Amino acid sequence: LRILVWGHMTDPNMVDSYSGVVSSRSIRLSLVAAELNGLEVIAGDIGNAYLEAYTNEKVYFVAGSGFGELQGHTLVIVKALYGLRSSGARFHEKFSDTLRDMGFTPCKMDTDVWMRDAGDHWEYVCCYVDDVLAMMKNAQRFYDELVTKYKYKLKGVGPPEFYLGGDFYRDPDGTLAWGAKTYIKSMLSKYEANFGNLPPKRSRPMEPKDSPELDTSEELDEKGISVYQQMIGEMQWCVTLGRFDIFSATMTMSRFRACPHKGHLERLKEVYGYLRKRPEGAIRFRVGVPNHEDLFEPEQMDWSRTIYADASEELPNDLPEPKGPSVRVTSYVDANLMHCKATGRSATGIMHFVNQTPVQWFSKRQATVETATYGSEFIAARQCTEQLIDLRLTLRYMGIPLDGPAWMFGDNLGVIKNATIPTSMLSKCHNALSYHRVREAISAQILFFLKIDGKENIADALTKFLPWSDLGALVEPILFQKGETLTEEIAASLIKLRGVSSSSRSSRPHACS
C-alpha cells in the first residue's frame, strides 16, 4: 500500500487527541483490592485495537498503485487507522462505551480504572490503551463477553506474566509480586551495546555523601548526551516498576540531562552495576494490616480551643459505597537538608503503604532553600500530608473502606511535637503554610503523626545515598524478601481466602508490621 497524498477535509482536532492510560499507582491499588477480596487477576490485549473505532474527522488520501483501478482516486478514511493523531482517542471512546454497556463506571480519581458493583465487593478493569487488566471473581467471563458479544479480537489472555514492562508472578506461598527483572535485563543489554561490556557489580547505587552537582569533569559530546538521556529514561521507568531503591540516585542525576558531564555518566554506570547485582527486587502485594498499636499509641489531643476546632476531613457526596475489608494507610516521610550543595535545596522522600503493600513513592528536590533541618522536614511533612489526602480520597472513590486515620511516621522530633501539640507555637514564620496544613490534618483526624528512629524510616532511602548496611536494612524486607511477612493469625485467614499452601509461608515480621 502506497499513499501518495493525504490530508484533512476538516480541521484537525487539537484537543483530546490521545488515549488516556491508567496510572501505575491505580494499578497497584486495584491489585491490593483484588488480593484483599480474593479476586482473579487476568490480563489481555485487544488486537488491531484502533481499527475497532471510527474517525470523527474526515481524513482523505490519494490512492497509489496498490489500489488497482482506484489509483489516483481521492478516498476518505473512516476507520481509526494507526498513525492518525486522533485514533487513540477514538478507540478510548469506543472501549469506554463497551465498558459502560457492561455495567462499569469510571473511577473519578482515575478515569481509566473502571468499577462494577459485585455485591460484597467491587470489580475493577484497568485500561492502558489496548492493554486490559481485569480483577473479578471470574475474570475470564469478562474477556469471553468481549469476544462473543462485542466482537473484539483478543490475544494473550491469562494471568499476567509481563505487563507494562514488569514481571508478574507469585511467590511459593501465593503472594503476588510485580518486579522489573526482565526490564533490567533489557537495560543491561542496551548498556552492553553502548559500552561494549557489562557494568561491574556494585553493592549500592551511589557513593554515600556524593555530590554530583559539584562535578567539574569534561562535558559529554552529542552521542554521550543521547546515551545519558536514554539511561536516565530507563532508570525512571525502573523506579515506576517498583525499584524505589534507586529513586534517590535517579532523581539526583535526572537534573543533568541537558548537559551531563563524564563524571555524571560514570555515576549512572554505578547504578546499572547495582541493578546488575540485585535484579530480583519486586513489590509484593501483602495485604495484612500492620499492627502499629503494639508499638505506638497516638496521644489524643484536645483541639477544641484552637483555630482548628472545626476542622474535618472534606468528603464529596458522590462516593461509591465502600465494600470489602478495610485497609490501613501508612506513610513514611523524610527530608535531607541541603541535598544539593550548589543550590542549597533540600530533598523530600515519601513512601506510602496500603496495608503492607508499597503503592506510591516520591523523591524530589524542594522548591525553596531552608537554613535548618526543621524547615525542610516541615515542608516534607506538608507534602506527605497532601499526598495522603489524595491517596485516601482515591481509595474511597475506588470503594475501598479505610480503617481510620492514616499513620504518618517521621524522624524529626521537633517537627512532630510542633505539629501534634495543640499549644505548640511556630518557631519559624516562613514555614507557616506547612505548619498549619499538617496541624489541621491532624486535628481533623485525617492522620496520626508519630516519631520513629531514622534507621527505621524507609523514606531515608529516598533522600540520601546510603551504604548497603543501611539501605539493605530498609529495602530488603520490602523488595527482596519473598512471600507474606505476617503474623500466623493473618496468614491463616489469607490462606483460607485464597486457598494457597502455607508450607512455605514466612512468619518473619515485615518492616511495616
Side-chain angles (χ1 to χ4, degrees):
L1 170 63
R2 288 190 301 150
I3 298 177
L4 302 180
V5 181
W6 70 277
H8 285 269
M9 298 173 67
T10 56
D11 292 333
N13 183 8
M14 305 304 293
V15 183
D16 297 333
S17 295
Y18 302 99
S19 173
V21 294
V22 65
S23 72
S24 56
R25 186 188 75 164
S26 295
I27 295 175
R28 287 188 286 267
L29 293 176
S30 300
L31 289 170
V32 169
E35 292 295 285
L36 202 60
N37 290 280
L39 306 184
E40 186 180 21
V41 180
I42 298 291
D45 183 46
I46 298 176
N48 300 325
Y50 288 2
L51 299 181
E52 299 286 346
Y54 291 87
T55 62
N56 283 350
E57 307 86 2
K58 288 186 177 180
V59 184
Y60 74 89
F61 67 94
V62 177
S65 60
F67 285 86
E69 59 185 33
L70 291 177
Q71 181 179 356
H73 285 67
T74 298
L75 304 180
V76 176
I77 297 173
V78 296
K79 287 276 188 160
L81 297 181
Y82 286 83
L84 296 181
R85 178 164 49 194
S86 61
S87 293
R90 300 292 81 77
F91 169 74
H92 187 272
E93 294 168 357
K94 162 78 173 180
F95 196 62
S96 296
D97 290 341
T98 299
L99 291 172
R100 286 190 177 91
D101 192 58
M102 297 174 76
F104 289 91
T105 56
C107 173
K108 289 193 174 181
M109 295 299 287
D110 189 336
T111 55
D112 288 288
V113 175
W114 293 78
M115 305 163 52
R116 185 170 66 182
D117 192 343
D120 61 351
H121 66 278
W122 290 93
E123 298 176 330
Y124 301 95
V125 173
C126 297
C127 300
Y128 198 102
V129 191
D130 58 351
D131 290 317
V132 181
L133 195 65
M135 285 144 277
M136 307 170 191
K137 289 291 185 181
N138 189 345
Q140 185 61 52
R141 184 186 301 166
F142 164 78
Y143 287 101
D144 291 342
E145 189 175 355
L146 287 180
V147 173
T148 57
K149 183 176 180 180
Y150 299 97
K151 309 304 179 184
Y152 286 97
K153 299 177 180 66
L154 301 180
K155 55 185 179 181
V157 176
E161 296 180 358
F162 187 76
Y163 185 74
L164 302 183
D167 303 296
F168 280 84
Y169 58 92
R170 290 191 180 270
D171 289 342
D173 67 345
T175 304
L176 180 64
W178 185 4
K181 187 175 180 180
T182 300
Y183 188 75
I184 292 172
K185 184 178 178 180
S186 173
M187 291 172 63
L188 293 173
S189 176
K190 294 176 183 177
Y191 181 101
E192 189 172 18
N194 285 327
F195 301 107
N197 53 22
L198 291 173
K201 294 182 179 180
R202 291 181 54 84
S203 61
R204 54 184 178 245
M206 288 183 65
E207 290 294 326
K209 299 183 179 180
D210 189 11
S211 300
E213 65 274 11
L214 303 180
D215 187 283
T216 57
S217 60
E218 182 183 351
E219 293 181 2
L220 294 174
D221 58 18
E222 186 174 344
K223 180 180 178 182
I225 293 174
S226 178
V227 170
Y228 187 92
Q229 292 174 345
Q230 171 196 315
M231 294 173 70
I232 284 291
E234 291 172 347
M235 288 165 54
Q236 289 174 333
W237 190 250
C238 198
V239 170
T240 300
L241 293 177
R243 292 304 300 266
F244 57 81
D245 49 338
I246 66 166
F247 201 173
S248 179
T250 303
M251 176 271 293
T252 302
M253 302 309 299
S254 293
R255 59 179 293 210
F256 307 113
R257 282 175 296 183
C259 188
H261 294 194
K262 288 186 176 180
H264 297 147
L265 182 60
E266 292 302 314
R267 289 174 172 88
L268 295 197
K269 292 180 180 180
E270 294 175 1
V271 178
Y272 274 62
Y274 169 78
L275 292 174
R276 183 189 175 198
K277 183 173 183 177
R278 295 189 169 89
E280 303 284 349
I283 295 299
R284 277 155 177 102
F285 292 84
R286 301 169 172 130
V287 293
V289 178
N291 190 9
H292 299 315
E293 291 88 348
D294 281 356
L295 299 175
F296 306 94
E297 185 176 353
E299 192 172 353
Q300 299 299 317
M301 297 289 188
D302 182 9
W303 295 87
S304 62
R305 299 180 182 275
T306 70
I307 59 174
Y308 317 106
D310 297 327
S312 61
E313 187 171 12
E314 296 183 25
L315 298 177
N317 56 14
D318 59 347
L319 292 173
E321 180 184 355
K323 296 175 181 288
S326 60
V327 300
R328 171 167 293 181
V329 178
T330 306
S331 300
Y332 296 83
V333 60
D334 183 56
N336 182 24
L337 182 68
M338 202 173 176
H339 178 83
C340 174
K341 291 182 172 57
T343 63
R345 288 161 64 179
S346 305
T348 295
I350 300 171
M351 176 69 76
H352 299 290
F353 290 80
V354 172
N355 286 359
Q356 295 187 38
T357 304
V359 296
Q360 183 179 353
W361 34 94
F362 177 87
S363 178
K364 190 175 182 179
R365 283 192 307 159
Q366 295 178 359
T368 58
V369 177
E370 297 299 322
T371 58
T373 301
Y374 174 91
S376 62
E377 292 279 0
F378 234 130
I379 289 174
R382 186 259 304 163
Q383 290 173 309
C384 187
T385 297
E386 292 171 344
Q387 291 178 17
L388 270 173
I389 292 171
D390 168 74
L391 178 58
R392 286 167 62 83
L393 186 59
T394 300
L395 288 166
R396 286 191 166 106
Y397 264 119
M398 292 179 68
I400 302 173
L402 303 176
D403 76 340
W407 295 67
M408 185 168 80
F409 293 101
D411 53 29
N412 188 286
L413 185 59
V415 169
I416 294 171
K417 283 186 174 181
N418 237 191
T420 57
I421 299 175
T423 56
S424 180
M425 301 297 292
L426 177 64
S427 58
K428 294 190 176 182
C429 291
H430 72 280
N431 296 128
L433 292 177
S434 297
Y435 169 85
H436 288 298
R437 187 70 200 95
V438 177
R439 284 167 62 86
E440 185 177 56
I442 293 171
S443 67
Q445 296 187 328
I446 295 173
L447 58 90
F448 303 124
F449 194 10
L450 300 162
K451 170 76 167 63
I452 58 170
D453 188 87
K455 295 290 185 181
E456 300 174 358
N457 188 356
I458 181 61
D460 209 42
L462 302 175
T463 60
K464 304 175 182 69
F465 309 138
L466 301 174
W468 179 249
S469 57
D470 296 331
L471 179 63
L474 295 172
V475 304
E476 271 195 309
I478 302 171
L479 288 177
F480 298 97
Q481 185 177 327
K482 296 181 179 179
E484 295 281 8
T485 52
L486 311 171
T487 63
E488 289 302 317
E489 293 80 4
I490 297 174
S493 65
L494 287 175
I495 291 169
K496 182 178 179 181
L497 177 64
R498 299 182 194 160
V500 299
S501 171
S502 63
S503 59
S504 59
R505 186 176 297 273
S506 169
S507 60
R508 176 182 170 187
H510 183 263
C512 296
S513 295

